Amino acid sequence: MCRWIAYTGTPVFLSRVLFEPEHSLIDQSLHSRMGVETTNGDGFGVGWYTQDTTTPAVLRDVGPAWNNRNLQEVAHHVRSGLFFGHIRASTGTAVQQTNCHPFRHGRWMWMHNGMISGFHRFRRDLVLTVDPALYPDIEGSTDSELMFFLALTFGLAEDPPGAVARMAGLIEKTGHAHDVPYPLQMTIAVADGERVWAFRYSSEGRSRSLYYSTKVDALRALHPETSFLRDISDETRLVVSEPLGALPGAWNEVPESSYGVIQPGGDALHAFRPQLHDGPLPA
Amino acid sequence: MCRWIAYTGTPVFLSRVLFEPEHSLIDQSLHSRMGVETTNGDGFGVGWYTQDTTTPAVLRDVGPAWNNRNLQEVAHHVRSGLFFGHIRASTGTAVQQTNCHPFRHGRWMWMHNGMISGFHRFRRDLVLTVDPALYPDIEGSTDSELMFFLALTFGLAEDPPGAVARMAGLIEKTGHAHDVPYPLQMTIAVADGERVWAFRYSSEGRSRSLYYSTKVDALRALHPETSFLRDISDETRLVVSEPLGALPGAWNEVPESSYGVIQPGGDALHAFRPQLHDGPLPA
Amino acid sequence: MCRWIAYTGTPVFLSRVLFEPEHSLIDQSLHSRMGVETTNGDGFGVGWYTQDTTTPAVLRDVGPAWNNRNLQEVAHHVRSGLFFGHIRASTGTAVQQTNCHPFRHGRWMWMHNGMISGFHRFRRDLVLTVDPALYPDIEGSTDSELMFFLALTFGLAEDPPGAVARMAGLIEKTGHAHDVPYPLQMTIAVADGERVWAFRYSSEGRSRSLYYSTKVDALRALHPETSFLRDISDETRLVVSEPLGALPGAWNEVPESSYGVIQPGGDALHAFRPQLHDGPLPA
Amino acid sequence: MCRWIAYTGTPVFLSRVLFEPEHSLIDQSLHSRMGVETTNGDGFGVGWYTQDTTTPAVLRDVGPAWNNRNLQEVAHHVRSGLFFGHIRASTGTAVQQTNCHPFRHGRWMWMHNGMISGFHRFRRDLVLTVDPALYPDIEGSTDSELMFFLALTFGLAEDPPGAVARMAGLIEKTGHAHDVPYPLQMTIAVADGERVWAFRYSSEGRSRSLYYSTKVDALRALHPETSFLRDISDETRLVVSEPLGALPGAWNEVPESSYGVIQPGGDALHAFRPQLHDGPLPA
């Protein structure tokens, strides 16, 4: 039950997005308006891609984001053209670095807002499905990290939307087998360093909020006075749990049961539906 | 800008007071109703007196109280008949253990809610007044700890109300000299292991909230069904920033500009007025 | 690869044992003489039983023990007649509270020095053997905690030496199946609040060091000048990874492949041999 | 009582210098060979200059460097052409972020190995000399940060060697007045983003070790097989408490009572002598 932000576009200091907007992610860590919890103080993380490295950097810590000095330092001195920010409100699992988002595997980065209902009752069943070769890399105890490893198991590297659909299908099937009527609640962002996929789904059809930013050229026409909009390219895009700032026309809700992909050459929005995986897992 | 609680009476597990009440201090760390800030997640502390030791124990940490496991462990396994609990919302100084309340010096324990306005402009002047023999024991950077050391300098060990009055007088005088109209805002609890003094004062006459509990025998007559009241002696007393629970008749506001002393043989409530210290400091 | 101490006997402040001896556990955290690593700075824990509670308290943190103030506070203000202390040198798993010893389950407490060789290759196989009803309580990622849960699965509550023998047997069998010649290296302490069992074993027959203290009456005759010995009962006993202090005659090596039980009415030392568990698990 | 490293030259990932060398700074945090303490586990810091910002970034934390994941992340994903690394062994002051090096003020960065003897006896006298306009920026309680603020008070921005000499002169004079025969022990690095000054001095004439690297062109001729040397410019230079790696001819001792300046256009080594500041402080 968290808040998150994904940025892709013109490389900027992380602070321009994480700290400077009026209702920024860091401000949301103290005063979320739309989250189930108003305080998200159980750890945080930022992950960013840089040139010259094959993996993203991930900075995570267990205290609140709002008073963390290392986050301030990094955000004000590191530029990136693709980064994630996440603030956590624990739903019961331990407050520790290995439970903070974003999670990373190779060049992949993953973060989540939501929960698996009844997780403690069928976590073991889900863990057993994780590819044994991936299993040793699970470090924490959250449902969110396990969802990532299930998606990796189901072919995230080849087909992100398909892998996430099969992950969701497995969780719903397993939850139903344990008499949980609505097992899954999720908004997810996942990136490979070039593209970002953002998913909004819940078994109940009442998903956590998710928004994407309006195209920059349209926004610029609406708000010619906003200097930040002049500094960034037309391709720049944000996806957020909760709108930042108060720019009319800036935010569009991601529809229920859908996902978007943000990529060079054109973004797209599609329907999302969990799938049952019946065949053998990808080798 | 914090919340605090002081307990004195029948020895109980700290958890009975810190965690179990409906609107407990730990719950207030997430959702304060009466504080200036609704979240108090910038560190916490508990301090308790035990038999056989001359000093109180102080457990302090920099994360939020609500997710701290060591606090849970200690609170559920340690009994005390005189203890303090404090949750912090930083007003700017660093989030570090040495800035967490309660502060301790010998057998004395001190905690504070409020602030010195314009502190950064005249902190140096105040520090210079601290007894040079006490100065090396200042470890943190808060106004609250400095207020403690000023009170120690002004004779806290011999005359707590007088020492606090002289501390307040010095802060107001110094603040006024720096053109701060209302320099002081405070509720303070201080204990020596047997007695607790609780102060409510602000230069402006609009002090932070402070409450003390009704006498246990009267409460027991009002609420015969409440088992906790049967377990504690008539002498048991709480002083709190914000009422706990929803027991009608349980809480009384400490009046503006006053202080109370809770002690064996009879509690008392007095007017509080800052004093100017003109003579030499106590040897 | 850690150091630990187990104390049972006359209730004392934890500091008498953890801090005061010449070569104390806390001193060992900086300068171990006998450990594989000389520095044990990757977290620590103390666990103690008190009257009036059914579970032990466990205080754990991720920094070094030698500079932790909360450990100092608790150790100097809490008395116990049965407590554990542990300092950690990580063998690769994350430095987080849930990986710090001692581990607790109900009234049981467990700590370990050593490692499972090749753990990452067959951790999943071992996890699958844990009783599904216990599985959700695993919080960390260490071999040590998993060994505890295997012992719980194999009947620790009814037959501690048998359960530990079956745990060791499973680990050796599984390790051998993965071509690890010497899968297990361990010294373990486990307690239920009244008794302490201490095990020393390794597949290779070259186990980590383990010592138990000489009977107090004999020690008192040898060292009539040592005041601590006058304050504790004849029944008081310590088991340690590495001798404390420099009292000649005070320490006896636990033999290879053996375990001791410290209990009211008479301690005992027995041979230890891993067992294969072939039948159904205890209900 | 710490270890430190200063790098200036070709921009590289911090990890190339902090983690990769055989006897790297991070390795020294566990196993220092030349320090007074062999373990430096009481916090660490790295500070780096980047293009486009006027201040350096500073990442500091209270645990040991050797197990800190955020340090790993930043070091493997951030490049810089001028950075500091520091590992701390506390000489008594609190283990907290504000006591970790490097310290920063505007574009200036400062770190220290050594101590002021008798600091607690005359810290107050030294603090009183700090420019009152700078005083509010002191955040921690170390001698090292106070030395920085004294140097700032004495004109660090205009004349770094002179300001450090006056700082040293004041400390020696004040120490002698308190009957401390050898008040100062220091190796210091200070940078403004373009140049680095490194000082080695002690009142006793037995200063902590300090080394600077041989010119890269000479080293390259000696070790044509070392690839790192081919990647860096002739101007690249390291100054270190303790030599890294095992490259014969790579390290030269900074002489007693001297300082070096590393700057574009030519490095230089000079004698260092404390000075008494008698006139008014710089405005």
Side-chain angles (χ1 to χ4, degrees):
Chain A
M1 310 263 199
C2 314
R3 306 275 86 189
W4 59 253
I5 187 170
Y7 175 93
T8 169
T10 304
V12 294
F13 286 115
L14 310 188
S15 56
R16 301 274 328 238
V17 174
L18 296 179
F19 287 94
E20 292 177 18
E22 194 187 331
H23 184 57
S24 73
L25 188 75
I26 304 308
D27 182 51
Q28 291 175 31
S29 69
L30 263 170
H31 311 289
S32 171
R33 293 173 191 149
M34 308 185 76
V36 175
E37 291 84 13
T38 56
T39 304
N40 293 272
D42 299 327
F44 70 88
V46 295
W48 68 93
Y49 291 90
T50 60
Q51 291 184 308
D52 312 320
T53 66
T54 52
T55 59
V58 178
L59 185 88
R60 304 184 292 180
D61 216 334
V62 295
W66 69 76
N67 68 29
N68 192 283
R69 294 191 172 196
N70 288 333
L71 174 60
Q72 289 256 7
E73 293 293 317
V74 164
H76 285 92
H77 292 88
V78 166
R79 283 173 186 276
S80 172
L82 200 174
F83 60 90
F84 284 6
H86 187 278
I87 51 177
R88 184 168 183 244
S90 169
T91 54
T93 43
V95 176
Q96 57 193 23
Q97 207 173 19
T98 56
N99 284 351
C100 292
H101 312 221
F103 303 99
R104 174 183 59 196
H105 200 265
R107 72 177 198 278
W108 292 87
M109 201 155 62
W110 174 281
M111 61 183 171
H112 169 232
N113 174 26
M115 64 184 305
I116 299 177
S117 294
F119 180 53
H120 284 293
R121 287 151 56 191
F122 56 94
R123 178 181 164 207
R124 186 174 180 275
D125 294 347
L126 297 177
V127 166
L128 294 191
T129 311
V130 171
D131 180 350
L134 292 168
Y135 176 85
D137 296 337
I138 300 179
E139 287 200 307
S141 53
T142 59
D143 49 2
S144 305
E145 185 192 26
L146 182 53
M147 290 162 72
F148 182 27
F149 275 82
L150 288 170
L152 287 165
T153 297
F154 287 133
L156 184 70
E158 293 77 38
D159 171 19
V164 173
R166 288 185 284 275
M167 175 273 285
L170 176 76
I171 290 169
E172 293 200 328
K173 181 184 168 194
T174 310
H176 293 155
H178 285 80
D179 298 321
V180 177
Y182 304 120
L184 187 56
Q185 172 64 262
M186 71 179 207
T187 68
I188 283 174
V190 56
D192 67 354
E194 298 199 350
R195 293 164 295 173
V196 174
W197 294 261
F199 299 83
R200 183 179 183 218
Y201 177 75
S202 60
S203 308
E204 200 181 0
R206 299 165 54 131
S207 301
R208 300 291 169 87
S209 60
L210 194 64
Y211 296 84
Y212 63 98
S213 61
T214 300
K215 282 195 166 183
V216 171
D217 51 0
L219 265 181
R220 219 182 269 126
L222 275 172
H223 302 281
E225 75 293 353
T226 302
S227 66
F228 182 67
L229 296 173
R230 290 195 297 267
D231 296 344
I232 55 174
S233 73
D234 288 0
E235 304 273 301
T236 297
R237 189 78 88 172
L238 278 92
V239 186
V240 295
S241 297
E242 200 167 304
L244 316 181
L247 221 52
W251 300 102
N252 314 281
E253 195 173 25
V254 175
E256 273 286 353
S257 303
S258 61
Y259 74 94
V261 52
I262 306 167
Q263 55 194 350
D267 306 342
L269 197 59
H270 303 279
F272 176 82
R273 201 168 37 229
Q275 289 175 17
L276 272 187
H277 178 76
D278 289 322
L281 296 179
Chain B
M1 312 264 199
C2 316
R3 307 273 87 189
W4 58 254
I5 187 171
Y7 176 93
T8 169
T10 303
V12 294
F13 286 116
L14 310 187
S15 55
R16 300 271 334 235
V17 172
L18 296 179
F19 286 95
E20 292 178 18
E22 194 186 331
H23 184 56
S24 73
L25 187 76
I26 305 309
D27 182 51
Q28 291 175 31
S29 69
L30 264 169
H31 309 291
S32 170
R33 291 174 193 150
M34 308 185 76
V36 175
E37 291 83 15
T38 56
T39 303
N40 293 273
D42 299 327
F44 71 88
V46 293
W48 68 92
Y49 292 92
T50 60
Q51 292 182 307
D52 311 319
T53 67
T54 53
T55 59
V58 177
L59 184 89
R60 303 185 292 180
D61 215 337
V62 296
W66 68 75
N67 68 29
N68 191 282
R69 294 190 172 198
N70 288 334
L71 175 59
Q72 290 256 5
E73 292 292 318
V74 164
H76 285 90
H77 292 88
V78 167
R79 284 174 186 273
S80 172
L82 200 175
F83 61 90
F84 283 7
H86 187 277
I87 51 175
R88 184 167 181 243
S90 169
T91 54
T93 43
V95 176
Q96 58 194 22
Q97 208 174 16
T98 56
N99 284 350
C100 291
H101 311 221
F103 302 100
R104 174 184 58 197
H105 200 266
R107 72 177 198 277
W108 292 87
M109 200 155 65
W110 174 280
M111 61 185 171
H112 169 232
N113 173 26
M115 64 184 306
I116 298 177
S117 293
F119 180 53
H120 284 293
R121 287 151 56 192
F122 55 95
R123 178 182 164 208
R124 186 174 180 275
D125 295 346
L126 297 178
V127 166
L128 294 191
T129 309
V130 172
D131 179 351
L134 292 169
Y135 176 84
D137 296 336
I138 299 178
E139 287 199 308
S141 53
T142 59
D143 49 3
S144 306
E145 186 193 24
L146 182 52
M147 290 163 72
F148 183 26
F149 275 82
L150 288 170
L152 287 165
T153 296
F154 287 134
L156 184 68
E158 292 78 38
D159 171 18
V164 173
R166 288 185 284 275
M167 174 273 283
L170 176 76
I171 290 169
E172 293 201 327
K173 181 183 167 193
T174 310
H176 292 155
H178 285 80
D179 298 321
V180 177
Y182 304 120
L184 187 55
Q185 172 64 260
M186 72 178 208
T187 68
I188 284 174
V190 56
D192 67 354
E194 296 199 351
R195 293 164 295 173
V196 174
W197 294 261
F199 299 83
R200 183 178 183 219
Y201 178 76
S202 61
S203 307
E204 198 180 2
R206 300 166 54 131
S207 302
R208 300 291 170 87
S209 61
L210 193 64
Y211 296 84
Y212 62 99
S213 60
T214 299
K215 283 194 169 183
V216 172
D217 50 359
L219 265 180
R220 219 183 269 126
L222 276 171
H223 301 281
E225 74 293 353
T226 302
S227 66
F228 181 67
L229 296 174
R230 289 195 298 267
D231 296 345
I232 55 174
S233 71
D234 288 1
E235 305 273 300
T236 297
R237 188 79 88 173
L238 278 92
V239 187
V240 296
S241 297
E242 199 166 306
L244 317 181
L247 220 51
W251 300 103
N252 314 282
E253 196 174 23
V254 175
E256 272 287 352
S257 302
S258 61
Y259 74 94
V261 51
I262 305 167
Q263 56 196 350
D267 304 344
L269 197 59
H270 303 278
F272 176 82
R273 201 168 37 228
Q275 289 175 15
L276 273 186
H277 178 78
D278 290 321
L281 295 180
Chain C
M1 313 264 199
C2 316
R3 306 273 88 189
W4 58 254
I5 188 170
Y7 175 94
T8 169
T10 303
V12 293
F13 285 115
L14 310 187
S15 56
R16 300 276 327 240
V17 173
L18 296 180
F19 286 95
E20 292 178 17
E22 195 186 330
H23 183 58
S24 73
L25 188 76
I26 305 309
D27 182 51
Q28 291 175 30
S29 69
L30 264 170
H31 310 289
S32 171
R33 293 175 192 148
M34 308 186 76
V36 175
E37 291 83 15
T38 55
T39 304
N40 292 272
D42 299 327
F44 70 88
V46 294
W48 69 93
Y49 292 91
T50 60
Q51 292 183 307
D52 311 320
T53 66
T54 53
T55 59
V58 178
L59 185 88
R60 303 185 293 180
D61 215 336
V62 295
W66 69 76
N67 68 29
N68 191 284
R69 294 190 174 199
N70 288 334
L71 175 59
Q72 289 256 5
E73 292 293 319
V74 164
H76 285 91
H77 292 88
V78 167
R79 283 173 186 274
S80 172
L82 201 174
F83 60 91
F84 283 7
H86 188 278
I87 51 177
R88 185 168 182 244
S90 169
T91 54
T93 43
V95 176
Q96 58 193 23
Q97 207 173 18
T98 56
N99 284 350
C100 292
H101 311 222
F103 303 100
R104 174 183 58 198
H105 200 265
R107 72 177 198 277
W108 291 87
M109 200 155 65
W110 173 281
M111 60 185 172
H112 169 232
N113 173 26
M115 64 184 305
I116 298 177
S117 294
F119 180 53
H120 284 293
R121 286 150 57 191
F122 55 94
R123 177 182 164 206
R124 185 174 182 275
D125 294 347
L126 297 178
V127 166
L128 295 191
T129 310
V130 171
D131 179 352
L134 292 169
Y135 176 85
D137 296 336
I138 299 179
E139 287 200 307
S141 53
T142 59
D143 49 3
S144 305
E145 185 192 25
L146 182 52
M147 290 162 73
F148 182 27
F149 276 82
L150 288 171
L152 287 165
T153 297
F154 288 133
L156 184 69
E158 292 77 37
D159 171 19
V164 172
R166 288 185 284 275
M167 174 273 283
L170 176 76
I171 289 169
E172 293 201 329
K173 181 184 168 193
T174 311
H176 292 155
H178 285 80
D179 297 323
V180 177
Y182 304 119
L184 187 56
Q185 171 66 261
M186 71 179 208
T187 69
I188 284 174
V190 56
D192 67 354
E194 298 199 349
R195 292 165 295 173
V196 174
W197 294 261
F199 299 83
R200 183 177 184 219
Y201 177 76
S202 61
S203 307
E204 199 180 1
R206 299 165 54 132
S207 302
R208 300 291 169 89
S209 60
L210 194 64
Y211 296 84
Y212 62 98
S213 61
T214 299
K215 282 194 169 184
V216 171
D217 50 359
L219 266 181
R220 218 183 269 127
L222 275 172
H223 301 281
E225 75 293 353
T226 302
S227 66
F228 182 66
L229 296 173
R230 290 193 298 266
D231 296 346
I232 55 174
S233 73
D234 288 1
E235 304 274 300
T236 297
R237 187 80 88 174
L238 279 92
V239 186
V240 296
S241 297
E242 199 167 307
L244 317 181
L247 221 50
W251 301 102
N252 314 282
E253 195 173 23
V254 175
E256 272 287 351
S257 302
S258 62
Y259 74 94
V261 52
I262 305 167
Q263 57 195 348
D267 305 344
L269 197 59
H270 303 279
F272 177 81
R273 202 167 36 228
Q275 289 175 17
L276 273 187
H277 178 78
D278 290 321
L281 295 180
Chain D
M1 312 261 199
C2 315
R3 306 274 86 189
W4 58 254
I5 188 169
Y7 176 94
T8 169
T10 304
V12 294
F13 286 116
L14 310 188
S15 56
R16 302 270 334 234
V17 172
L18 296 180
F19 286 94
E20 292 177 18
E22 194 186 329
H23 184 58
S24 73
L25 188 75
I26 305 308
D27 182 50
Q28 291 174 31
S29 68
L30 263 170
H31 310 290
S32 170
R33 292 175 193 148
M34 310 186 75
V36 175
E37 291 82 16
T38 56
T39 304
N40 293 273
D42 299 327
F44 70 88
V46 295
W48 68 93
Y49 292 92
T50 60
Q51 292 183 308
D52 311 321
T53 66
T54 53
T55 59
V58 178
L59 185 88
R60 303 184 293 179
D61 216 335
V62 295
W66 68 76
N67 68 29
N68 192 282
R69 294 190 173 197
N70 288 335
L71 174 60
Q72 290 255 5
E73 292 292 319
V74 164
H76 284 92
H77 292 88
V78 166
R79 284 174 186 273
S80 172
L82 199 174
F83 60 91
F84 285 5
H86 186 279
I87 51 176
R88 183 168 182 245
S90 168
T91 54
T93 43
V95 176
Q96 57 193 22
Q97 209 173 17
T98 56
N99 284 350
C100 292
H101 312 220
F103 302 100
R104 174 183 59 197
H105 200 265
R107 72 176 199 278
W108 292 86
M109 199 155 63
W110 173 281
M111 62 184 168
H112 168 233
N113 173 25
M115 65 183 305
I116 299 177
S117 294
F119 180 53
H120 285 292
R121 286 151 56 191
F122 55 95
R123 179 182 163 206
R124 185 173 181 275
D125 294 345
L126 298 177
V127 167
L128 294 192
T129 311
V130 171
D131 180 352
L134 292 169
Y135 176 85
D137 296 337
I138 299 178
E139 286 199 307
S141 53
T142 60
D143 48 4
S144 305
E145 186 193 25
L146 182 53
M147 289 162 73
F148 183 27
F149 276 81
L150 288 171
L152 287 164
T153 297
F154 288 132
L156 184 70
E158 293 77 37
D159 171 19
V164 173
R166 288 186 284 274
M167 174 273 284
L170 176 76
I171 290 169
E172 293 201 328
K173 181 183 168 195
T174 311
H176 292 155
H178 285 79
D179 298 321
V180 177
Y182 304 120
L184 188 56
Q185 171 66 261
M186 72 180 208
T187 68
I188 284 173
V190 55
D192 67 355
E194 297 198 352
R195 292 164 296 173
V196 174
W197 294 261
F199 298 84
R200 183 178 184 220
Y201 176 76
S202 61
S203 307
E204 199 181 2
R206 298 166 54 134
S207 302
R208 301 290 170 87
S209 61
L210 194 64
Y211 296 83
Y212 62 98
S213 61
T214 299
K215 282 195 167 185
V216 171
D217 50 359
L219 266 182
R220 219 182 269 125
L222 276 171
H223 301 282
E225 76 292 354
T226 302
S227 67
F228 182 66
L229 296 173
R230 290 195 297 267
D231 295 347
I232 55 174
S233 73
D234 288 1
E235 304 272 302
T236 297
R237 188 79 88 173
L238 279 91
V239 186
V240 295
S241 297
E242 201 167 304
L244 316 181
L247 221 51
W251 300 102
N252 315 281
E253 194 173 24
V254 175
E256 272 287 352
S257 303
S258 61
Y259 74 93
V261 52
I262 306 167
Q263 57 195 346
D267 306 343
L269 197 59
H270 303 278
F272 176 81
R273 201 167 37 228
Q275 290 175 15
L276 273 187
H277 178 77
D278 290 321
L281 296 180

